[in-house]
Amino acid sequence: MTNLLKQAEERLEKMQAEINPRWYPRYHLAARAGWMNDPNGLVWFDGWYHAFYQHHPYSTKWGPMHWGHARSQDLVHWEHLPVALAPEGPEDKEGCFSGSAVVDGDTLALIYTGHKFHGPADTDDNLYQVQCLATSRDGIHFERQGMVIDTPPGLHHFRDPKVWREGNAWYMVVGARVDNTGQVRLYRSSDLRDWHDEGILAEAEPGMGYMWECPDFFTLHGKRVLMFSPQGMAAEGYEKRNLFQSGYLLGEWQPGEAFVHNGQFIEMDSGHDFYAPQSFLSPDGRRIVMGWLAMWESPMPEQQDGWAGMLSLPRELSLDDNNRLLMKPAAEVTALRGSYFPVPAHCLTNQRLLVTADADAVELCLEWDRIASPAEQFGIVMGNGLRIYVDNQSQRLVLERSGPDCALTGTRSIALAEGDSLSLRIFIDRSSVEVFVNDGEACLSSRIYPQPGQRDIMLFANSGTAALKEAGYWSLDR
C-alpha cells in the first residue's frame, strides 16, 4: 500500500469512529466517512460485485478525488475494502476522476480520468484530463499503469471513460466539452493500452448541454442506449428541474458506423437526487445500474455528521414495447426484506391512517384503485417532511419534501399514465426515498432528513375518497 493510500485509510478509521448515524443509510452503500459522489467501476469479478466511487476521505466536502471501494456477493450487503486509488502520479496529481472497470482474463482493470493542472488552477486553460489504467489480480490492490490516452488537442474537459468489450476489441466512450457543446468521443483498442481515436459518437444539439458527463453505451434488447449526465440543460415545465440531469438517447450502432438516434433525451429519474448513473452486467446477463443519490449544489445536511453522499439501490433496466426504458429494483433487493406487515385494504375518505411508526428502513407496496379514488389528493405522508401523492386535478404523481431547517423544500412529479391502477414500491432509508412506479415505468429518488419523532408513515385522502386494492410493508435491514 502506498503512503497516500495508507494515510487515507488512517484518516477514514478516525473519521468513521466520529460519525453521527442519525441519517447514515441502513441498507444503501455510502462511504465509511468523508465525501462520496459518482459510482465508478461497477463490475462482477472473481465471485464478487465490486463498486468503486468518487471519494474524498479527508473531509465531507468535495476535494482531491480518490477511488473508494466496496464489494458484495448479492448487491445489497456490502463490505468496505481499502481505498483503491489516490492522486499520487503526474497524470492524476489533482484527482483520480470517474471511470469504469472491466475484466481482462484474470485481471481487473480500472480505467479512470487523471485530473491535473499545468499551472494555476484558477483557469480551464491550464486544465488537462487524461485517461489512465490501473490493474489488479486480487481485485483489492491495484498497480498503476499510467496514462493511456492524452488530452486531445484543443480540449480541456475530457473525462469519465466507460469501457466494454465487443467482438475482438475493447471500446471506450469519454465525455467531452468543445466550447459550449457536450460530446461523447469513441475509442478502440486491442489491449486496453494502445487506443485508436474513432471520432465523435454523439454531440449535443442546441439546448442539450455544454458538457456530457459519465457516458455509458450499451445494448439493451437489440437497441443501443447512450446514457449520460448532461450539464447545462434548461428546465422545461415539470422536466429537468434539477441543476443537472441523467438520461439517455436510444438508437442503432455497429462498430465502424455512426450512432443513429432519435434525438429525444429522456430523463431516467424524476426525483431531486439522481446523477452519474453507471451500468454493468450481472453474471446472468441483466443490465444493472446504480447512481449517485445526491445533487450538485444541493444542501447535504449529513456533512455535519461526518459523511456525505450515497448510492442508489441497484436497478435493473429493460425496454417496453414502445422502446421506453424501464427501471425497477434489482431482484436481489428482496434479500433485505424482514417481516411483512399487511395493511388491510382500505377506503379512505378525508382521513389519515397510520401504517407504521418511527420507520427508518422500509419497503412499502401500495396499489391504488384509480377508478374508485376521486379524492383531490391521496397517498402517503411521513412526519412533516415527506408526502408522495396523486394530485387528481393535475393528474400527476408528486413527491414533496419539506425540510426548511436545511433548505430542502420542494416538489418533483410525473404525469400519470392511463390505467385503472397505480402500483408503487417505495423504499425509505434513514435519509432517502426511492419511488418505483408501475413496475419500472418511472422513478423518483430524493434525499430526505427527518427530524426526531417525524418518521411515522400514514395513508391519507384529502377532499374525497381513495381506495386501495393492496397495501403492506416490509422492514428492511442490511
Side-chain angles (χ1 to χ4, degrees):
M1 179 178 287
T2 67
N3 188 46
L4 284 182
L5 291 175
K6 183 179 179 181
Q7 289 178 22
E9 286 298 310
E10 291 173 349
R11 178 61 175 168
L12 282 171
E13 184 176 349
K14 182 177 185 299
M15 290 180 64
Q16 186 176 10
E18 299 172 353
I19 277 182
N20 182 340
R22 57 178 171 167
W23 291 319
Y24 192 85
R26 288 272 297 275
Y27 58 91
H28 287 78
L29 177 58
R32 287 170 282 170
W35 170 275
M36 165 198 273
N37 59 287
D38 306 356
N40 301 151
L42 305 180
V43 69
W44 172 264
F45 174 70
D46 196 25
W48 294 87
Y49 290 103
H50 290 259
F52 301 85
Y53 50 88
Q54 291 287 274
H55 186 32
H56 188 216
Y58 295 98
S59 83
T60 60
K61 296 183 179 180
W62 189 92
M65 286 292 98
H66 297 54
W67 272 38
H69 187 194
R71 69 180 181 181
S72 170
Q73 291 187 317
D74 64 0
L75 284 175
V76 290
H77 299 92
W78 293 95
E79 171 193 357
H80 287 286
L81 294 174
V83 174
L85 297 173
E88 52 190 345
E91 69 278 1
D92 60 16
K93 57 191 179 72
E94 265 80 50
C96 300
F97 274 22
S98 294
S100 54
V102 293
V103 178
D104 184 18
D106 62 355
T107 299
L108 180 60
L110 308 184
I111 304 94
Y112 68 96
T113 294
H115 182 70
K116 58 182 179 176
F117 286 91
H118 296 174
D122 58 354
T123 171
D124 282 358
D125 292 341
N126 295 329
L127 169 65
Y128 293 90
Q129 295 182 328
V130 300
Q131 313 318 317
C132 304
L133 176 68
T135 57
S136 172
R137 292 294 181 89
D138 64 5
I140 299 175
H141 305 93
F142 291 86
E143 182 178 349
R144 299 157 61 90
Q145 307 294 331
M147 181 182 73
V148 294
I149 300 179
D150 202 351
T151 315
L155 288 190
H156 294 280
H157 293 272
F158 175 64
R159 56 183 176 267
D160 311 337
K162 178 65 189 291
V163 176
W164 77 99
R165 189 166 185 86
E166 187 153 344
N168 295 320
W170 295 102
Y171 290 89
M172 176 196 298
V173 286
V174 185
R177 175 179 180 176
V178 177
D179 296 325
N180 285 315
T181 299
Q183 288 182 345
V184 171
R185 298 197 167 207
L186 180 67
Y187 295 82
R188 176 175 50 85
S189 173
S190 61
D191 61 2
L192 295 176
R193 287 165 172 79
D194 295 319
W195 291 90
H196 178 262
D197 187 349
E198 298 280 291
I200 298 170
L201 181 75
E203 187 171 57
E205 298 174 1
M208 290 183 66
Y210 60 77
M211 174 68 197
W212 284 7
E213 290 198 314
C214 303
D216 194 345
F217 196 53
F218 53 87
T219 301
L220 194 63
H221 304 320
K223 294 290 185 180
R224 299 284 183 162
V225 180
L226 177 60
M227 183 172 71
F228 59 102
S229 296
Q231 297 180 324
M233 296 185 77
E236 299 176 16
Y238 291 106
E239 298 182 352
K240 307 179 186 72
R241 301 305 308 178
N242 295 331
L243 177 62
F244 301 135
Q245 289 71 46
S246 296
Y248 66 95
L249 296 169
L250 194 69
E252 308 284 346
W253 178 81
Q254 292 298 326
E257 299 180 3
F259 174 46
V260 180
H261 58 83
N262 59 15
Q264 184 181 8
F265 174 81
I266 300 176
E267 287 186 272
M268 294 178 64
D269 192 295
S270 299
H272 295 86
D273 297 290
F274 187 77
Y275 192 69
Q278 185 173 113
S279 79
F280 62 99
L281 285 174
S282 66
D284 59 2
R286 290 169 297 145
R287 178 65 59 174
I288 308 294
V289 69
M290 296 173 71
W292 182 40
L293 213 56
M295 181 52 58
W296 296 110
E297 298 185 25
S298 179
M300 302 176 76
E302 72 268 27
Q303 288 177 313
Q304 62 189 289
D305 292 345
W307 66 284
M310 56 193 282
L311 299 189
S312 72
L313 287 173
R315 305 170 179 191
E316 181 178 347
L317 301 184
S318 61
L319 290 179
D320 66 14
D321 293 339
N322 296 315
N323 287 325
R324 181 96 177 190
L325 194 70
L326 304 179
M327 188 164 60
K328 63 182 181 181
E332 287 85 347
V333 170
T334 59
L336 294 168
R337 289 174 174 173
S339 301
Y340 179 71
F341 301 91
V343 177
H346 280 282
C347 183
L348 294 85
T349 302
N350 302 326
Q351 67 185 104
R352 289 191 174 194
L353 176 70
L354 180 67
V355 173
T356 179
D358 198 26
D360 68 352
V362 298
E363 175 190 351
L364 181 66
C365 291
L366 304 174
E367 185 174 1
W368 294 96
D369 184 341
R370 293 179 62 189
I371 301 299
S373 301
E376 289 186 3
Q377 294 182 352
F378 61 89
I380 72 161
V381 59
M382 186 172 78
N384 59 11
L386 174 67
R387 292 204 308 158
I388 302 164
Y389 63 92
V390 170
D391 185 324
N392 259 329
Q393 295 184 78
S394 65
Q395 284 295 290
R396 302 187 70 83
L397 178 69
V398 181
L399 188 158
E400 177 184 299
R401 66 179 180 184
S402 178
D405 293 342
C406 48
L408 283 170
T409 298
T411 64
R412 296 290 183 267
S413 67
I414 59 167
L416 287 171
E418 293 184 2
D420 296 342
S421 297
L422 174 63
S423 174
L424 303 177
R425 287 180 71 185
I426 303 171
F427 292 83
I428 294 174
D429 207 339
R430 282 179 176 157
S431 61
S432 67
V433 58
E434 293 171 86
V435 183
F436 296 89
V437 184
N438 290 339
D439 203 28
E441 288 182 2
C443 184
L444 301 96
S445 302
S446 295
R447 297 297 299 277
I448 54 174
Y449 298 90
Q451 298 298 321
Q454 296 295 321
R455 290 189 174 273
D456 292 356
I457 297 176
M458 307 187 80
L459 297 168
F460 76 91
N462 293 341
S463 301
T465 297
L468 277 163
K469 294 181 178 180
E470 291 187 35
Y473 70 94
W474 285 267
S475 59
L476 303 181
D477 207 347
R478 190 168 170 179

